Amino acid sequence: MKIKLDYKYGVCILEPHGKLIGAGVLDLRILLKTEIISAETPRILINLEHVSRMDSAALGLLVSANRTVKQKHGRIGVVHVGRHIKNLIIRSRLINIFEHFKTETVAVKELSRETSIARPYYKYGDY
């Protein structure tokens, strides 16, 4: 799996391409772990625009990363979530643990802010 890595205004942007299943999950886990460990207050955006499928291991990875980032008083968000992945997140009842953004520009602007919001400001109609 190819994963593009970029930084904008202190936000690490991970953009996986393909299917987040099997070995692809391991690749993403390594990048996420490296970023979380190296940053004092991690700010991570995962752009899922080019991900066609995700399995439960990938979903578990995102939940685990979210928990670890929150422990370090950081923020993690997702953008461009496709229909299949959105359905998986909703069915798993994990929709409210992720911050969702409509565009990468808005996400970077919001995640780079010093203040953190307590809960994601997601509304079911927005997703």
Side-chain angles (χ1 to χ4, degrees), residues 7-115:
Y7 292 92
K8 292 181 183 173
Y9 301 103
V11 177
C12 173
I13 303 168
L14 297 171
E15 188 177 327
H17 290 251
K19 296 179 182 179
L20 267 177
I21 56 175
V25 177
L26 180 60
D27 295 341
L28 183 59
R29 179 185 312 269
I30 292 167
L31 283 173
L32 275 171
K33 184 176 179 180
T34 302
E35 181 58 33
I36 292 169
I37 289 171
S38 66
E40 185 175 321
T41 305
R43 309 255 185 224
I44 300 171
L45 177 64
I46 302 172
N47 184 341
L48 297 171
E49 182 174 14
H50 302 288
V51 175
S52 57
R53 296 276 187 221
M54 178 187 289
D55 64 8
S56 59
L59 189 57
L61 170 62
L62 294 180
V63 170
S64 175
N66 182 61
R67 182 178 56 244
T68 306
V69 166
K70 298 290 183 195
Q71 288 172 348
K72 292 184 81 172
H73 305 288
R75 295 175 68 188
I76 188 167
V78 294
V79 67
H80 300 300
V81 180
R83 187 185 71 188
H84 294 291
I85 297 169
K86 177 177 72 170
N87 289 338
L88 175 65
I89 293 171
I90 290 171
R91 282 193 318 259
S92 303
R93 296 187 178 145
L94 297 171
I95 195 74
N96 289 324
I97 71 164
F98 300 110
E99 290 187 62
H100 303 269
F101 300 96
K102 291 188 183 226
T103 68
E104 186 175 298
T105 304
V106 170
V108 168
K109 180 180 177 184
E110 187 62 33
L111 290 173
S112 65
R113 293 174 56 202
E114 283 298 316
T115 58

